[in-house]
Amino acid sequence: MSDKAILEINGEKYEFPVITGTENEVAIDIKALRGSTKGVITLDPGYKNTGSCESAITFLDGEKGILRYRGYSIEELAEKADFLEVAYLLIFGELPTQEQLDKFHADIKSHSVVDDDIKKILDAFPKSAHPMGVLASLTSALTAFNPTSVNVDSEEEMYNAIVRILGKFPILVAWTMRKKHGMPLDYGSSSLGYVENILQMMFKNPTSDYEQNPILINALDKLLILHADHEQNCSTSTVRITGSSHAGLFVSLAAGISALWGPLHGGANQAVLEMLEAIKEDGGDTKKYMAKAKDKNDPFRLMGFGHRVYKNFDPRAKIIKVAANEVLSDLGVEDPILDIARGLEKEALEDPYFVDRKLYPNVDFYSGIIYRAMGIPVEMFTVMFALGRLPGWIAQWREMRLRKEPIGRPRQLYTGETYRPFKSIEKR
Ligand code: CMC
């Protein structure tokens, strides 16, 4: 592979360096393009061909269906690690020693409380509010109560902001759900593991002790690990670009939560379950919905299918499919929509429309079935995605700040009116 790319415009030749990543991915470095060509830019809506940064956090090969955090395969991490270890790995680059992990957890626990006035903000939301909107608002509001988390430059200041949000975010997640269900707010217990505490904060009944169920702990640990990072996706790019203006960590995360909410991104897990329910209510006719998904005049898409990067099985979906079978059988739950999901998957994988476009089940296709079996309401599914993605967003934000990346500010190709003189209102 040449180390130069040559671009010819109007007979003039320009040379740009070709750079290669550690996994042999190749990029043309066009940093000098606009300057040397006196104004020419690239146009790439949806950034399908644009690398926005160099990153050493997550590697994914969409053709081969490979996903690795800091070099470790998602399959091994999902089987052998717990969520807090993975969070540490993503953020700081190495798996923690026991001592490092204990300190990290202790630091997080020391911030696992939010200002009581947050309850007043939560109270102002109607019960009907979507939990993602509430979570984004509360995460942003945390800034007001933790002003030292905003102007962070040193690694120490960043660390303090990071352990704060890792301590406080699960509280917001749990409270968002409890508020919706009219349950009193709970702080959990610092004697519990990170994931156990999340379950207790979400589900503890006010009048009885919460009994931990190892099946639920394992399932949630696995789901959170599988969602923990996915390189420069829509919400992560949002976090990086928001943070690039040196807005604080918490508001950058709030921006990421808003980006995640949409049904083409994290909101797909809610949309999948609603779709499967609708198919069930409609008599279970999967063929009818397959036909709708293929009809270009119908806006319906098969939710949980397709991915911008994966043109093969999403490795996370493979793990989640197996986990869904295990969790439902361990919990003794029979859910007819699991059969509908399996049926849809089988049909899609044999259908030329899906095969030709390389559309495979993604991470969201089976995750909702597990969340539902765990007793998590459907409107909370994307919130659970956000909880899992938190360390990834943090790691990407930290990397962006430590690399002193410039403010994110794309260009555009203007296609509007050229100059025209102002027309007074009576002449319009
Ligand atoms: N159902 C039916 N057709 C589809 C689907 C689908 N789920 N996904 C893509 N296509 C078709 C699309 O119509 C297009 O067809 P054509 O070439 O004839 O115009 C072709 O496949 C390529 O799709 P695209 O929309 O150009 O691809 P994209 O990379 O812009 O979009 C996507 C990726 C994930 C937004 C899209 O596949 C989709 O909308 N999927 C359903 C929503 C979903 O499950 N999202 C979760 C993604 S994984 C979680 C995460 O966000 O990290």
Side-chain angles (χ1 to χ4, degrees):
M1 173 75 64
S2 162
D3 58 356
K4 281 190 210 101
I6 296 166
L7 177 70
E8 191 173 326
I9 309 172
N10 293 336
E12 192 88 36
K13 285 193 176 156
Y14 304 92
E15 265 184 25
F16 299 98
V18 170
I19 53 175
T20 308
T22 48
E23 290 280 357
N24 298 320
E25 292 175 300
V26 178
I28 305 170
D29 178 349
I30 56 152
K31 284 203 264 312
L33 173 69
R34 199 169 164 275
S36 52
T37 57
K38 309 226 171 5
V40 176
I41 59 162
T42 55
L43 188 63
D44 186 21
Y47 312 119
K48 292 191 179 191
N49 307 280
T50 298
S52 59
C53 60
E54 289 181 43
S55 178
I57 301 171
T58 289
F59 170 69
L60 82 85
D61 182 329
E63 308 298 326
K64 296 195 185 128
I66 292 174
L67 174 61
R68 294 186 203 129
Y69 299 159
R70 302 281 190 184
Y72 295 100
S73 80
I74 193 66
E75 290 80 9
E76 252 194 303
L77 289 170
E79 194 194 323
K80 298 176 184 162
D82 71 28
F83 179 57
L84 209 57
E85 277 179 290
V86 170
Y88 187 99
L89 169 71
L90 283 167
I91 298 169
F92 303 110
E94 294 297 338
L95 284 168
T97 61
Q98 190 62 54
E99 200 183 326
Q100 286 168 329
L101 187 62
D102 290 346
K103 176 172 182 330
F104 187 47
H105 196 191
D107 291 341
I108 291 170
K109 283 196 275 197
S110 71
H111 292 292
S112 294
V113 57
V114 295
D115 193 295
D116 224 43
D117 279 348
I118 288 280
K119 289 181 181 161
K120 293 187 193 152
I121 304 175
L122 183 63
D123 264 347
F125 283 97
K127 277 210 179 94
S128 58
H130 193 284
M132 282 299 275
V134 178
L135 185 69
S137 306
L138 295 182
T139 306
S140 193
L142 279 181
T143 306
F145 298 96
N146 298 272
T148 55
S149 67
V150 181
N151 294 319
V152 291
D153 284 315
S154 69
E155 289 218 38
E156 192 193 343
E157 287 167 327
M158 282 186 200
Y159 181 82
N160 290 336
I162 290 168
V163 288
R164 271 198 168 78
I165 194 65
L166 284 167
K168 297 175 198 308
F169 197 74
I171 300 171
L172 303 185
V173 166
W175 284 9
T176 301
M177 183 176 111
R178 293 180 79 91
K179 153 86 185 181
K180 207 166 170 55
H181 293 257
M183 300 269 279
L185 306 181
D186 193 273
Y187 268 113
S189 162
S190 62
S191 64
L192 295 171
Y194 192 73
V195 169
E196 286 167 285
N197 196 34
I198 293 170
L199 286 167
Q200 168 148 325
M201 282 194 290
M202 288 176 78
F203 292 114
K204 187 180 178 303
N205 190 306
T207 55
S208 54
D209 289 340
Y210 178 72
E211 212 175 296
Q212 294 285 346
N213 180 341
I215 300 167
L216 297 191
I217 300 169
N218 283 335
L220 186 56
D221 236 326
K222 198 171 271 195
L223 283 167
L224 296 177
I225 290 171
L226 293 172
H227 285 88
D229 196 46
H230 212 237
E231 51 116 301
Q232 309 312 317
N233 55 82
C234 176
S235 57
T236 301
S237 300
T238 303
V239 170
R240 278 184 95 123
I241 207 163
T242 308
S244 77
S245 74
H246 294 196
L249 172 61
F250 300 174
V251 286
S252 303
L253 295 170
I257 295 166
S258 300
L260 185 73
W261 191 355
L264 299 189
H265 190 11
N269 56 13
Q270 175 175 344
V272 169
L273 207 101
E274 287 167 352
M275 174 188 80
L276 295 173
E277 269 299 324
I279 298 175
K280 192 184 102 194
E281 294 302 309
D282 202 13
D285 185 357
T286 48
K287 295 213 165 31
K288 176 174 159 188
Y289 286 83
M290 287 290 288
K292 273 164 77 62
K294 293 188 284 182
D295 181 355
K296 290 290 170 199
N297 297 316
D298 190 325
F300 177 79
R301 281 191 162 197
L302 195 58
M303 299 312 287
F305 259 79
H307 198 277
R308 168 61 60 80
V309 188
Y310 291 119
K311 302 300 165 201
N312 196 327
F313 268 96
D314 179 336
R316 303 167 300 174
K318 275 194 197 165
I319 302 171
I320 292 182
K321 184 180 175 183
V322 175
N325 289 331
E326 283 168 8
V327 173
L328 264 63
S329 99
D330 286 352
L331 292 174
V333 172
E334 272 183 37
D335 192 336
I337 65 165
L338 182 58
D339 290 332
I340 294 179
R342 286 196 198 111
L344 271 178
E345 180 189 337
K346 187 167 179 302
E347 280 174 46
L349 293 179
E350 288 165 0
D351 189 301
Y353 174 97
F354 288 87
V355 174
D356 292 351
R357 289 170 179 76
K358 300 189 174 154
L359 302 171
Y360 291 86
N362 61 48
V363 67
D364 291 322
F365 195 63
Y366 286 102
S367 63
I369 296 175
I370 309 185
Y371 287 136
R372 179 153 102 160
M374 294 171 77
I376 297 174
V378 67
E379 281 199 322
M380 283 294 292
F381 289 2
T382 315
V383 166
M384 302 312 288
F385 191 150
L387 182 65
R389 186 54 53 89
L390 183 69
W393 287 333
I394 293 172
Q396 302 272 351
W397 167 86
R398 180 175 176 271
E399 180 181 71
M400 180 272 306
R401 288 298 303 267
L402 290 177
R403 290 185 177 205
K404 301 204 183 316
E405 282 179 14
I407 186 166
R409 204 299 187 187
R411 292 268 171 180
Q412 63 166 15
L413 189 69
Y414 178 68
T415 57
E417 299 284 351
T418 53
Y419 174 74
R420 44 184 177 164
F422 181 77
K423 235 188 228 174
S424 57
I425 198 158
E426 62 280 4
K427 290 191 184 147
R428 284 173 213 163

